[in-house]
Amino acid sequence: MINWADGKGWVTAGGKRLEWAAWGALGAGPVIVLLHEGLGCLALWRDFPERLSQATGLPVFAYSRANYGQSDSGDLPFPVDYMTRHAVDVLPEVLDAIGAAHVILMGHSDGATIAAEYAGRVVDYRVRGLVLMAPHFFTEEMGLAQIRRARDAFADGDMAEKMGKYHRDPVATFKGWNDGWLNPDFAAWDVSEVIDFLRIPALVIQGKDDQYGTLRQVDEIVSRSYAPVDVLIPDDCRHAPQVDQPEAVLGAVSAFTQRLIAHEAAQPERA
């Protein structure tokens, strides 16, 4: 069990030691659990978690998955189903360690997919809502083309040096993500079936100019989810809405969480 009062520390999940940090007061409402993108980590959320806690009035928890940030090294190469494995095998242990009665999973890119997979594959009544920023449920050629460009940029430029400011082993971090997505078997990757099992409200946010995925990803969850889905498509926004349009994201998440809390407060208590 983590000690929330410490504000940061280490948690063991999936057999790996993972770095974490927390903002706000535990017990002030459901904890928003942040799940980072494919090249993200705890530090790369920058000031967003603190601003998110202030905007929503809720506690926020973030951590780096294995192979990211200062967490333990991950097992390479990543299998094609690496997001599913994290959702099923690792995230439950993280949530247990937080010790919160209720949580809202908020993910970006790979992290959004992990959040949706958890909600669709694991029965966990602690999870009350989803915030999915730039989720992907299936591959698209335009996204794979962008990932191939990233591979070339990493080989020819100073990307490793820049990533080294945030990741203990930037080469392993990049290769885990890039080699996973460019595995020939990944072209057929599709986890959209998890949408059919969602039973909690979701807020889906995707930049209008997202270079890694089209609005087909959003349409998929809107058309298939059993539960309500709110959508925000910010203009002048690429793959990272929390970076390109932070005020729009914070406003939408705040309104979404307030509705969730108000709805639950209006429900009759169970005997």
Side-chain angles (χ1 to χ4, degrees):
M1 186 73 69
I2 69 166
N3 185 347
W4 189 277
D6 289 342
K8 61 182 179 179
W10 301 91
V11 60
T12 299
K16 304 290 185 179
R17 193 167 174 256
L18 311 178
E19 61 174 348
W20 65 268
W23 296 261
L26 187 63
V31 174
I32 300 176
V33 178
L34 292 177
L35 302 163
H36 63 74
E37 64 173 313
L39 289 180
C41 66
L42 175 59
L44 280 168
W45 285 110
R46 304 184 190 278
D47 67 345
F48 182 76
E50 182 177 11
R51 296 183 65 192
L52 180 64
S53 181
Q54 292 172 349
T56 61
L58 298 176
V60 174
F61 179 93
Y63 70 101
S64 296
R65 299 190 293 275
N67 215 50
Y68 294 92
Q70 306 308 310
S71 293
D72 281 353
S73 299
D75 299 323
L76 299 178
F78 282 4
V80 170
D81 63 346
Y82 72 91
M83 286 175 274
T84 302
R85 294 191 187 196
H86 188 87
V88 173
D89 298 334
V90 182
L91 185 52
E93 294 183 30
V94 174
L95 297 183
D96 288 346
I98 295 173
H102 298 147
V103 301
I104 296 168
L105 299 180
M106 180 171 179
H108 174 218
S109 194
D110 279 14
T113 303
I114 290 168
E117 289 217 62
Y118 186 82
R121 297 186 189 277
V122 180
V123 177
D124 187 343
Y125 296 110
R126 294 173 298 186
V127 182
R128 305 306 235 205
L130 299 171
V131 180
L132 309 176
M133 296 191 295
H136 29 252
F137 299 102
F138 46 84
T139 53
E140 296 182 273
E141 177 51 37
M142 56 90 74
L144 293 177
Q146 192 70 26
I147 293 168
R148 288 191 288 270
R149 293 188 193 101
R151 176 193 59 195
D152 297 340
F154 189 85
D156 299 335
D158 60 354
M159 194 172 173
E161 181 181 352
K162 291 179 178 178
M163 288 179 59
K165 299 175 183 178
Y166 306 100
H167 301 283
R168 189 157 53 99
D169 187 344
V171 174
T173 296
F174 184 84
K175 287 184 66 63
W177 168 77
N178 197 258
D179 291 356
W181 273 88
L182 295 183
N183 181 326
D185 293 338
F186 211 92
W189 174 82
D190 188 327
V191 295
S192 60
E193 75 276 2
V194 301
I195 298 171
D196 300 333
F197 298 95
L198 298 181
R199 295 295 185 269
I200 53 176
L203 168 62
V204 182
I205 303 172
Q206 181 161 325
K208 192 172 184 179
D209 306 312
D210 193 323
Q211 70 272 35
Y212 283 97
T214 70
L215 293 179
R216 288 178 57 210
Q217 307 288 340
V218 177
D219 294 340
E220 194 77 9
I221 188 169
V222 169
S223 64
R224 293 178 64 168
S225 177
Y226 177 85
V229 178
D230 294 340
V231 175
L232 174 67
I233 310 293
D235 292 326
D236 300 318
C237 183
R238 285 162 59 86
H239 188 59
Q242 77 279 13
V243 174
D244 292 346
Q245 296 291 347
E247 298 302 332
V249 170
L250 291 170
V253 176
S254 179
F256 176 73
T257 56
Q258 287 174 16
R259 288 196 300 273
L260 276 180
I261 293 168
H263 175 76
E264 294 214 350
Q267 298 304 304
E269 293 187 6
R270 296 180 180 176

